[in-house]
Amino acid sequence: MVIREIKNSDTENLARLTYQVENSSQYMLWEAGERVNQPENYLKLIERIRRERNSVIIVAEKENQLVGYVCAFGGSAKRNNHSAYIVIGILKGYRGQGLGSKLFNELEHWAKHHNIRRLELTVVTENEPALSLYKKKGFKIEGTKRNALYIEGEFVDEYYMSKLL
């Protein structure tokens, strides 16, 4: 397994991975089939993120296929450019095997070298596997976003979590 920063040549693999993750997870923001997964859209995203000092996409690759990612989107103002919002996705068959921890380890290494002092994310309160990973990696619950998402006919809450570096 290789953990590394994304490259422009990963465009099609990232589009495929995102599609697969969204189709196998009930807790991602985008529902299955809701996002337009065109490789050219991902190329624009990758190029934009590679230009930003405080944003990154880190991927996990196995046998030339991407199996997981963690994205950090840095703040765009002087007052919040030390902070990054995190999104993580892992293929179903690779969950629960330590890959999330490896992705977060690489993200923290990157963050410390790019003057990022705060990592933040949201997680559905019922998503126990993700919540367990985030707590294990040192994230703390800051509050609850009530009725934050509408999933399968019900409103669900999210925790707002952060880790200070």
Side-chain angles (χ1 to χ4, degrees), residues 12-120:
E12 288 188 23
N13 267 337
L14 183 60
R16 186 178 314 107
L17 173 62
T18 303
Y19 177 81
Q20 291 172 325
V21 167
E22 289 172 352
N23 278 290
S24 66
S25 173
Q26 71 185 85
Y27 295 119
M28 298 299 284
L29 176 62
W30 296 90
E31 291 184 14
E34 184 178 7
R35 184 194 308 258
V36 178
N37 271 346
Q38 298 297 325
E40 55 270 15
N41 294 345
Y42 286 92
L43 179 58
K44 289 176 187 173
L45 173 67
I46 292 168
E47 288 174 340
R48 188 193 88 221
I49 284 183
R50 290 177 59 93
R51 284 191 306 268
E52 296 176 359
R53 166 199 70 74
N54 62 347
S55 296
V56 70
I57 299 175
I58 297 170
V59 294
E61 180 182 37
K62 184 173 183 181
E63 298 171 3
N64 297 317
Q65 293 298 315
L66 299 184
V67 297
Y69 63 85
V70 62
C71 305
F73 301 100
S76 57
K78 283 184 182 179
R79 292 182 178 190
N80 73 349
N81 69 10
H82 67 283
S83 181
Y85 183 81
I86 309 305
V87 177
I88 186 169
I90 299 172
L91 279 181
K92 190 172 188 173
Y94 292 88
R95 296 176 194 154
Q97 300 176 23
L99 182 54
S101 289
K102 290 177 183 175
L103 286 166
F104 270 112
N105 291 345
E106 187 63 28
L107 176 65
E108 285 185 37
H109 177 76
W110 171 87
K112 288 176 182 175
H113 289 89
H114 287 83
N115 298 317
I116 302 297
R117 301 205 15 125
R118 175 185 167 87
L119 300 174
E120 57 189 36

Side-chain angles (χ1 to χ4, degrees), residues 2-7 10 57-61 66 106:
V2 175
I3 309 291
R4 60 173 175 78
E5 285 190 39
I6 195 124
K7 302 180 286 193
D10 292 318
I57 299 175
I58 297 170
V59 294
E61 180 182 37
L66 299 184
E106 187 63 28

